[in-house]
């Protein structure tokens, strides 16, 4: 062994040294480092998990948003249709009311015209009657002599005596 | 109209019995009535023969006469005929 240049004592010392180094390395370097790596890996896994959860939530939220938008649109259409129907109905009611009022006004106007015509007719008739009677009375005053009056009186009495 | 007047005269004849005898008869005419006419009136309404008859001239009467006894009256004038005519025309509306 000495001819090969290998010193047993040195070799044993190196082996012991190596073993000590190994144990020291393992205890104070490898383990912490491995623990560190484990922790990092765990952190990464957690992060991935969280990220995955967030993505899932995000997807769900997008779905919910789309669902909400869809419902909102349906509600809007529903409200719009109802509003259209209500406005159509209101329009019909207003038109009917306007027509009824117009018909009523026309009827009243016709009645008023008839009433006015009736009043006018009565007034004209009264005027003509009064004027005619007045003219007759005036003519009688001017033209009835005592002789005529006597004849008329006699005529009245004679007619009444006949039975 | 004559029938209506005759009915009034008949009605008055019946009512006169309850009129006070002291009431006088007033005959209003457009001129002074003669005896002949007064007689005709008495013939028409015999019951007035028992009353004091007064003839009043009213120039507003066109022709005919009005016989008043107390509160009763018969209008035989042309004036009332014209008024009736006016009334009938008005009623004809």
């Amino acid at each position: 062994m000495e001819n090969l240049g290998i010193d047993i004592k040195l070799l044993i010392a190196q082996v012991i040294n190596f073993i000590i180094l190994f144990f020291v390395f393992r205890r104070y370097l490898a383990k912490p480092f491995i623990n560190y790596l484990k922790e990092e890996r765990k952190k990464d896994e957690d992060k991935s998990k969280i990220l995955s959860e967030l993505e899932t939530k995000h997807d769900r939220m997008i779905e919910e948003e789309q669902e909400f938008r869809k419902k909102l649109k349906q509600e809007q259409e529903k409200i719009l249709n109802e509003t259209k129907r209500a406005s159509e109905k209101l329009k019909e009611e207003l038109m009917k009311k306007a027509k009824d009022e117009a018909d009523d006004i026309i009827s009243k106007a016709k009645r008023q015209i008839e009433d006015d015509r009736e009043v006018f007719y009565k007034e004209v008739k009264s005027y003509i009657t009064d004027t005619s009677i007045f003219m007759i009375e005036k003519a009688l005053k001017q033209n009835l002599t005592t002789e005529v009056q006597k004849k008329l009186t006699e005529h009245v009495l004679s007619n009444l005596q006949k039975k | 109209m004559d029938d209506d007047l005759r009915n009034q005269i008949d009605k008055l004849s019946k009512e006169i019995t309850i009129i006070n005898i002291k009431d006088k008869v007033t005959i209003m005419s457009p001129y002074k009535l003669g005896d002949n006419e007064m007689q005709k009136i008495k013939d028409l309404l015999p019951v007035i023969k028992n009353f004091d008859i007064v003839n009043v001239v009213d120039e507003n009467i066109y022709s005919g006469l009005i016989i008043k006894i107390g509160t009763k009256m018969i209008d035989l004038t042309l004036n009332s005929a014209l008024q009736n005519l006016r009334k009938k025309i008005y009623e004809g509306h």
Side-chain angles (χ1 to χ4, degrees), chain A residues 25-44:
Chain A
F25 179 78
R26 189 179 138 186
R27 182 165 178 159
Y28 294 105
L29 283 176
K31 267 193 179 171
F33 186 68
I34 288 168
N35 286 337
Y36 171 75
L37 286 177
K38 278 183 183 174
E39 281 175 12
E40 287 297 311
R41 195 180 301 138
K42 193 179 173 206
K43 279 184 186 175
D44 282 343

Side-chain angles (χ1 to χ4, degrees), chain A:
Chain A
M1 286 287 229
E2 286 174 1
N3 294 335
L4 291 172
I6 298 171
D7 190 357
I8 295 287
K9 288 180 188 169
L10 192 64
L11 186 66
I12 292 168
Q14 281 182 344
V15 167
I16 292 169
N17 207 20
F18 177 76
I19 289 169
I20 292 169
L21 188 64
F22 174 76
F23 279 111
V24 167
F25 179 78
R26 189 179 138 186
R27 182 165 178 159
Y28 294 105
L29 283 176
K31 267 193 179 171
F33 186 68
I34 288 168
N35 286 337
Y36 171 75
L37 286 177
K38 278 183 183 174
E39 281 175 12
E40 287 297 311
R41 195 180 301 138
K42 193 179 173 206
K43 279 184 186 175
D44 282 343
E45 282 176 3
D46 288 344
K47 278 185 189 172
S48 296
K49 193 177 170 188
I50 289 169
L51 193 64
S52 168
E53 281 176 7
L54 283 174
E55 280 178 1
T56 308
K57 275 189 186 174
H58 178 69
D59 290 340
R60 202 178 320 130
M61 280 177 71
I62 287 174
E63 276 178 19
E64 283 177 4
E65 188 195 350
Q66 284 176 349
E67 191 67 33
F68 177 73
R69 282 181 190 274
K70 190 178 166 189
K71 278 186 184 174
L72 185 66
K73 194 175 175 188
Q74 284 174 351
E75 280 295 310
Q76 281 176 343
E77 281 177 6
K78 188 180 169 189
I79 290 169
L80 193 64
N81 288 338
E82 282 177 1
T83 308
K84 268 188 190 174
R85 273 197 297 272
S87 71
E88 281 294 325
K89 193 179 171 190
L90 182 64
K91 184 180 159 188
E92 279 175 17
E93 283 174 8
L94 286 173
M95 281 186 69
K96 185 175 180 296
K97 192 179 172 188
K99 187 176 178 297
D100 289 343
E101 281 179 9
D103 288 342
D104 190 43
I105 289 170
I106 289 170
S107 296
K108 280 183 182 169
K110 279 183 181 173
R111 275 199 301 273
Q112 185 65 42
I113 289 169
E114 277 302 314
D115 291 344
D116 290 345
R117 190 188 302 166
E118 196 65 35
V119 167
F120 177 70
Y121 173 70
K122 280 183 185 174
E123 284 176 1
V124 166
K125 199 168 178 181
S126 296
Y127 177 75
I128 291 171
T129 304
D130 290 342
T131 307
S132 302
I133 299 289
F134 174 74
M135 285 170 69
I136 291 169
E137 286 174 347
K138 198 157 175 144
L140 287 171
K141 270 185 189 168
Q142 285 174 354
N143 298 312
L144 272 180
T145 59
T146 308
E147 281 302 312
V148 175
Q149 284 173 336
K150 281 186 180 178
K151 280 185 183 172
L152 284 170
T153 305
E154 199 172 321
H155 177 74
V156 166
L157 290 173
S158 299
N159 276 345
L160 287 172
Q161 275 174 339
K162 288 175 194 171
K163 284 192 181 175

